[in-house]
Amino acid sequence: MNLNIYSVVKVLNGQVDEISCFDNEGAALQYAEQIVSKEPYDIVSILRTILNNPNVQLTVREFRKACGSF
């Protein structure tokens, strides 16, 4: 059985500003979409980490700012 954690990583000016963690992809996606619509981050990424195999981390979705909007 795989146990997963979903991290939302917010990048501002080339630096990681904040990381938030969720136990399901839906909650992480909902949070990331709220961040993208309200805050001026350059990149907002959702990463999935398989807890029983910490060497595996997958990018689920990534939002990048382009010309002032996502």
Side-chain angles (χ1 to χ4, degrees):
M1 179 170 108
N2 285 336
L3 298 174
N4 302 298
I5 190 164
Y6 295 86
S7 305
V8 177
V9 180
K10 299 184 275 185
V11 177
L12 182 62
N13 299 323
Q15 300 289 322
V16 173
D17 185 57
E18 185 177 315
I19 300 172
S20 301
C21 297
F22 299 87
D23 60 358
N24 66 69
E25 183 177 348
L29 179 58
Q30 184 178 17
Y31 177 72
E33 288 175 340
Q34 288 176 1
I35 295 302
V36 165
S37 68
K38 296 178 182 177
E39 298 183 31
Y41 288 99
D42 300 325
I43 301 171
V44 177
S45 295
I46 302 172
L47 305 172
R48 173 184 164 215
T49 302
I50 301 172
L51 293 180
N52 54 346
N53 187 351
N55 295 322
V56 176
Q57 190 172 60
L58 308 167
T59 300
V60 174
R61 186 168 288 178
E62 185 169 86
F63 302 91
R64 290 179 172 264
K65 188 189 316 184
C67 300
S69 63
F70 285 91

